Structure formats: structure tokens, C-alpha cells
Amino acid sequence: SGNVPFGTITSLHESPLRFGQLAVGTDDGLIEISRDGGNTWNALTSPIPQNTKRNELLWVSEVLWSHHHEQRLYVALNGYRLDHFDSWIFMTENDGRTWTRLGGNDLPCEPVNALAESASREGTLFAGTDGGAYVSFNDGSNWSAIHPDLPAVPVHDLVIQERENELVIGTHGRSIWVLELDAMWKHWDASELWSDAIPAAFVLSEIETIEFDEQWGERGWSWSEPRDVTADVDAFSPEPITAHWVITNDSTETTWIGDTIQLFRGWQSLSIPLKLQTSPEVEFIQPGSYIVSLYTDSATPLATSSLLIGTKDD
């Protein structure tokens, strides 16, 4: 039947730390909490003044109690119906008497539709907007794009599957995406807080062993292009950079491989081309042990990782 304007509950959440502690948000800007299972309710002051006289009221797109602090409540407001496209995410720890805005300078001007918080990693938040999904490792102070493969599409829901440590992303028109979170936090000790462990330098994960195939570069069909052969690696960049790959063999011979690549700030998946040249004929990296380095304009590599190309007999 479509949306019923005003007076509709748009978000409901129960605290994972306290039974019966509820929060609701509505499409006319109301935020209310209950600590007795819904028998009584208290209205919170809105993080942003609402224009009730003109019915210019912001949609409360998400209310979310924290997994780590009983009194902490996250709230996302959405103003797309009023042509307000700011990314409004707020936090309160005193029942709305004061609010803190999260990530106002890092998030683009995209209405926020969904929030999620990691139960296993304190300080890790996820936000879904009309333009994609974003992650913060320090309680929302800083944000970065979540993954380059996720299209620029409205994200309407975020759920963390804690057992598999996966983030399930529900989009508008581009299906459901699942992101494995292990790559984001396998570089830190489990006892560390994300707020104390944000990498200050570039991080490059280990590369899984690649099995060499004599059919690399062959066409699947006579009219098709040869398939690219790559090794995949996860990386964290503290800032946007331009870089290129260099591979070093056992004889310390170095070769520039692939084209210049662009990296954004945050975690991302990178592909290392295993093709050395494109003309006059294609030559692929042969079985053996290598060091793969990522360089910018500096003579010192930004990061390195080991690459092992084996054979079927290994």
C-alpha cells in the first residue's frame, strides 16, 4: 500500500545488553526509548531541531543500541524527502540530553539509511547510504568506503552475521552483497580496541599460493579475449594514493608489472597481474618464489608481500 506519511515507526531495536530496553524512531522525527519492555516510553530531544509547524520533519532511518555500552544509542536521520542530503549520524549516552555527530566531515552528502555495529570489535561501525556503504574503526570519528567492488547504489539494510563474521548488505536494485570481515581485522590482536589499533601505515595481507597453469592466457572461445590472470590481496591505505606493482625474483631481478593503480582510503581488494608483457607475445610469471612490492614515487616500497607460484606436482 506504500508509505503512510507521519506517525509510522521506521526503526525498532532492543538493546543486546539489557532485556526490555527498546528504542523506536518514526518517519516524523520522533525518537523514544523504553526500559520496561514498552510499558512506558520517554521521548528524546531530536539531534537536529525539527520544523513541526511546516511539517518539515526528518525521517528516523535507524535507531541502534550499542553492543558495548548500555546507555549508548546511535541514531541516523534521513532528509531526502525535504531535499536535505546531509549524512546525519548521531550518538547519545545520556538519553538525548546531548548528542554527538559522527563523521560529518568524512561521509559524503548522502542520506543515511542503515547502521550496524560489530559485537566483536568495539568501535567498528557500518553505515549504508543512498550512495553506498562505509566503515569506521573509531566510533564514527572517521569513515572510509567499505569496498571498491560494491556499486554506487542505495544501501537500505546492514546486518552482521557474527558466526561467519560477514556483513550482509541489502541494496536497492543491485541484490544482496556479503562482505567477509576477517580481512579487515586479522592484522590486530583480538584484545585490542579498534580505536587504539587503526593502522597508521599501509597494510598488505599475505597472498595465497597460486597454481601455475600452462593454459594461462588461452582464449576460451576463438572470438573471446584471453582471461586475465591475477593474484588477489587485501590492503589498507590510510589515504588515497597512486601506485604500481613491482615483482622481484630469487635473483633479485625486479620487473614493473601491470598499470598504475588508484587506491582509496580504507580496506580494499587489489589484483596483482601475473602477466609480464602484452607484446609481441604474452609472458606469464613462472613457478617460483617472489617478493611483490607496491611503490609510489618513492624509492622505498610502500609495502611488500611474498608470492609463491606452484605447480600441480607441488
Side-chain angles (χ1 to χ4, degrees):
S1 61
N3 174 55
V4 179
F6 302 119
T8 303
I9 292 177
T10 51
S11 182
L12 167 66
H13 191 239
E14 182 178 18
S15 170
L17 300 180
R18 178 174 174 175
F19 177 78
Q21 179 169 289
L22 306 174
V24 298
T26 70
D27 66 349
D28 53 351
L30 296 180
I31 305 167
E32 299 201 9
I33 62 172
S34 171
R35 289 193 169 88
D36 56 9
N39 289 317
T40 59
W41 293 87
N42 294 316
L44 306 189
T45 302
S46 175
I48 297 177
Q50 305 273 13
N51 191 340
T52 56
K53 291 184 178 180
R54 298 181 57 184
N55 283 335
E56 292 184 355
L57 305 173
L58 299 174
W59 185 299
V60 181
S61 54
E62 189 82 82
V63 290
L64 183 71
W65 290 108
S66 173
H67 285 84
H68 307 282
H69 301 274
E70 183 179 312
Q71 301 300 318
R72 179 175 295 178
L73 177 67
Y74 299 101
V75 171
L77 301 178
N78 188 312
Y80 80 95
R81 295 181 302 176
L82 306 175
D83 292 331
H84 297 327
F85 301 108
D86 285 326
S87 52
W88 282 316
I89 303 174
F90 297 90
M91 177 188 70
T92 182
E93 294 183 324
N94 55 14
D95 292 350
R97 289 188 292 275
T98 59
W99 292 90
T100 300
R101 185 174 180 182
L102 306 181
N105 295 325
D106 277 348
L107 288 172
C109 288
E110 298 168 355
V112 178
N113 303 314
L115 297 174
E117 182 195 41
S118 171
S120 60
R121 295 286 180 168
E122 184 174 355
T124 303
L125 299 175
F126 302 92
T129 73
D130 271 7
Y134 303 88
V135 60
S136 171
F137 299 136
N138 55 3
D139 287 314
S141 296
N142 301 103
W143 297 82
S144 62
I146 202 167
H147 199 281
D149 290 344
L150 184 70
V153 62
V155 172
H156 285 180
D157 203 4
L158 297 169
V159 176
I160 297 177
Q161 214 289 355
E162 296 292 346
R163 185 191 65 194
E164 301 297 332
N165 199 24
E166 294 176 337
L167 178 68
V168 183
I169 304 171
T171 73
H172 182 89
R174 294 298 296 274
S175 190
I176 295 174
W177 296 67
V178 178
L179 176 65
E180 296 181 2
L181 298 178
D182 286 338
M184 289 187 177
W185 46 58
K186 65 185 177 183
H187 299 282
W188 292 279
D189 183 87
S191 63
E192 289 183 310
L193 297 179
W194 272 106
S195 56
D196 298 328
I198 300 170
F202 196 94
V203 175
L204 200 63
S205 68
E206 296 180 359
I207 306 172
E208 294 185 2
T209 299
I210 305 295
E211 183 179 294
F212 182 81
D213 193 329
E214 295 288 350
Q215 295 182 336
W216 279 0
E218 293 187 2
R219 300 173 186 268
W221 302 93
S222 59
W223 60 84
S224 63
E225 294 294 328
R227 289 178 295 179
D228 290 333
V229 181
T230 61
D232 297 325
V233 62
D234 295 312
F236 178 90
S237 179
E239 59 185 359
I241 60 170
T242 300
H244 63 271
W245 295 108
V246 171
I247 190 167
T248 305
N249 61 19
D250 289 338
S251 302
T252 68
E253 297 173 335
T254 60
T255 304
W256 181 324
I257 53 176
D259 299 323
T260 299
I261 59 174
Q262 301 290 329
L263 289 84
F264 59 82
R265 185 181 64 185
W267 281 101
Q268 52 217 286
S269 293
L270 304 178
S271 295
I272 305 170
L274 301 183
K275 184 169 56 177
L276 294 179
Q277 62 186 59
T278 57
S279 62
E281 61 183 26
V282 175
E283 180 182 350
F284 291 94
I285 298 174
Q286 298 298 300
S289 298
Y290 301 88
I291 298 296
V292 176
S293 305
L294 194 63
Y295 281 85
T296 56
D297 294 332
S298 172
T300 303
L302 191 64
T304 62
S305 187
S306 299
L307 170 64
L308 176 62
I309 300 180
T311 63
K312 295 181 180 180
D313 298 330
D314 291 342

